[in-house]
Amino acid sequence: ILNVEQSPQSLHVQEGDSTNFTCSFPSSNFYALHWYRWETAKSPEALFVMTLNGDEKKKGRISATLNTKEGYSYLYIKGSQPEDSATYLCAFSDSNYQLIWGAGTKLIIKP
Amino acid sequence: NAGVTQTPKFQVLKTGQSMTLQCAQDMNHNSMYWYRQDPGMGLRLIYYSASEGTTDKGEVPNGYNVSRLNKREFSLRLESAAPSQTSVYFCASRYWWSSGNTGELFFGEGSRLTVL
């Protein structure tokens, strides 16, 4: 059974601080790793889709890295703002192309 | 741009009742999905439709049926609702191509279903 683990489950961060969290996934049959941001009462929205080992992607203050050999990805948020409060989801795709989802990291930014 | 629209947003059912969740996308995507989201768990795939005219079971299909009505619409039906089907349901779509698929998913806003 393929398993995707996200840690921590939840995180309280002071406004202005930087933070990061982890997505662990199977290292075999890797095809892609997705990150989504899900704000309360809204739809999950894609942040990044990563496919290559060593890949780094950036969108504003948010960036992600990928290590397919050891099966992990980090999401970094620099200088957290209240609008960053959300649940961050990652999903692993193997060669069958279906996505296996982690349970998410809930990020709460304290003003 | 509407994106992915699903209805209803909220529904309360009694055990044994039936209902259909509707989903429509206006992005010309060929692939559509139904997920359920339960506390402490990742999104779990119920059914998907890789292209118009095809549907396939996902991880948790029992108790559900789907119809891919046309390229835009993909409905999820609960024939005889059970309390275990209390959940938040998400419809999603993306463009799928046969040589591989790294396309991001576009989600609807979710439908919160309670079965008493």
Side-chain angles (χ1 to χ4, degrees), chain B:
Chain B
N1 243 357
V4 180
T5 304
Q6 55 180 107
T7 57
K9 287 191 167 42
F10 301 94
Q11 184 74 49
V12 179
L13 291 176
K14 293 181 180 175
T15 296
Q17 286 185 317
S18 62
M19 76 159 295
T20 299
L21 297 172
Q22 307 285 357
C23 176
Q25 51 88 14
D26 62 1
M27 295 172 283
N28 204 33
H29 289 160
N30 55 354
S31 183
M32 297 185 74
Y33 304 79
W34 276 106
Y35 287 96
R36 60 178 289 173
Q37 202 276 325
D38 299 295
M41 301 182 75
L43 290 164
R44 290 185 294 168
L45 184 64
I46 304 170
Y47 270 94
Y48 68 101
S49 172
S51 60
E52 188 179 353
T54 68
T55 61
D56 284 287
K57 295 178 180 179
E59 183 187 353
V60 288
N62 290 346
Y64 305 95
N65 282 303
V66 289
S67 294
R68 183 73 183 267
L69 303 169
N70 48 54
K71 191 172 187 180
R72 290 187 65 246
E73 297 173 287
F74 188 40
S75 63
L76 178 73
R77 183 159 178 83
L78 286 70
E79 290 291 351
S80 178
S84 60
Q85 294 178 304
T86 294
S87 189
V88 179
Y89 292 84
F90 284 97
C91 177
S93 71
R94 65 175 171 177
Y95 188 71
W96 172 289
W97 59 97
S98 58
S99 60
N101 203 322
T102 58
E104 65 191 70
L105 283 169
F106 292 80
F107 285 87
E109 290 192 344
S111 299
R112 185 174 293 275
L113 175 66
T114 302
V115 183
L116 303 175

Side-chain angles (χ1 to χ4, degrees), chain A residues 94-105:
Chain A
D94 65 9
S95 51
N96 291 319
Y97 309 134
Q98 295 308 329
L99 295 173
I100 309 297
W101 295 82
T105 292

